[in-house]
């Protein structure tokens, strides 16, 4: 008469299958988690951009220090350190630099938002400083990471009856949403 249960061989086989599955899936899962955390940096850069515009509305220049904007130098989970790399009367450059556990995201160590000549440029760089193909969190496949948008000339910009462009929201320009103004 046989008793109920599993033999040692059956348990070892199941453990081996689980180990193989873990080895195959964990690196991909970790990469997706790191990529998903970039949204926090994009959100912080958007908040900084809005604070810059508020500051500029009452000053002759953009702020060159986070203290002038009453903004924290860290994102809410402290995954990115924020800084104003450059600012003057007509343009600025904002950066979110990975730190802590996010430094494992080798493909996108620094996210940058630049306002220059009225156009917003976003980009990301890896640990070596090379521009990468996916700062926005969108599908990869050889697309350039840098986004250069001139809202009035863009084909998706909505136009009123007189043909005047309404442009995009800041959220859409940064690639976080798709809503039109």
């Amino acid at each position: 008469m046989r008793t109920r249960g599993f033999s040692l061989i059956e348990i070892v086989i199941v453990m081996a299958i689980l180990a193989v599955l873990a080895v195959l899936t964990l690196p991909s899962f970790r990469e997706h988690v790191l990529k998903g955390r970039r949204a926090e940096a994009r959100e912080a850069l958007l908040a900084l951009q809005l604070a810059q515009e508020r500051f500029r509305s009452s000053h002759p220049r953009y702020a060159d220090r986070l203290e002038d904007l009453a903004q924290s130098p860290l994102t809410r989970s402290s995954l990115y350190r924020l800084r104003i790399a450059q600012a003057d009367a007509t343009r600025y450059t904002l950066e979110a630099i990975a730190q802590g556990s996010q430094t494992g995201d080798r493909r996108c160590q620094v996210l940058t938002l630049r306002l220059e000549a009225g156009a917003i440029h976003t980009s990301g760089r890896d640990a070596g400083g090379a521009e990468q193909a996916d700062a926005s969190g969108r599908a990869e496949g050889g697309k350039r990471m840098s986004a250069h948008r001139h809202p009035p000339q863009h084909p998706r910009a909505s136009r009123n009856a007189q043909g005047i462009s309404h442009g995009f929201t800041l959220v859409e320009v940064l690639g976080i949403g798709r809503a039109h103004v």
Side-chain angles (χ1 to χ4, degrees):
M1 184 167 158
R2 185 175 167 163
T3 60
R4 294 185 173 211
F6 298 105
S7 70
L8 182 60
I9 299 285
E10 292 170 327
I11 292 173
V12 169
I13 289 172
V14 168
M15 294 296 282
I17 291 170
L18 289 175
V20 168
L21 287 175
V23 166
L24 294 175
T25 60
L26 285 179
S28 176
F29 174 75
R30 178 166 160 59
E31 184 177 326
H32 284 289
V33 168
L34 291 172
K35 189 175 175 181
R37 291 179 181 166
R38 294 178 198 162
E40 182 175 321
R42 290 190 306 270
E43 177 185 317
L45 287 173
L46 177 61
L48 275 177
Q49 180 185 16
L50 294 173
Q52 280 284 33
E53 296 303 327
R54 279 192 303 272
F55 182 87
R56 179 68 171 91
S57 69
S58 60
H59 296 83
R61 62 176 173 77
Y62 288 106
D64 55 1
R65 300 176 328 146
L66 290 173
E67 295 82 21
D68 294 339
L69 302 174
Q71 296 287 321
S72 169
L74 299 174
T75 58
R76 79 181 119 76
S77 298
S78 300
L79 294 172
Y80 288 89
R81 183 174 45 86
L82 304 171
R83 77 182 197 110
I84 300 172
Q86 179 273 329
D88 60 28
T90 59
R91 61 183 179 259
Y92 57 84
T93 302
L94 310 172
E95 292 182 342
I97 303 161
Q99 65 177 21
S101 63
Q102 194 62 18
T103 57
D105 186 6
R106 297 273 179 223
R107 299 185 64 204
C108 205
Q109 290 282 306
V110 180
L111 290 136
T112 304
L113 183 145
R114 220 172 9 106
L115 173 75
E116 190 169 324
I120 296 169
H121 307 265
T122 58
S123 62
R125 295 187 312 270
D126 65 11
E131 199 168 284
Q132 292 298 302
D134 187 35
S136 65
R138 292 187 180 136
E140 297 179 33
K143 293 181 182 175
R144 284 189 24 202
M145 177 185 275
S146 179
H148 178 77
R149 305 260 172 112
H150 291 284
Q153 288 109 11
H154 197 281
R156 285 185 50 208
S158 61
R159 298 189 181 277
N160 65 15
Q162 290 79 30
I164 298 172
S165 174
H166 292 288
F168 296 96
T169 64
L170 295 176
V171 171
E172 185 176 24
V173 171
L174 289 177
I176 300 170
R178 296 185 184 265
H180 287 283
V181 176

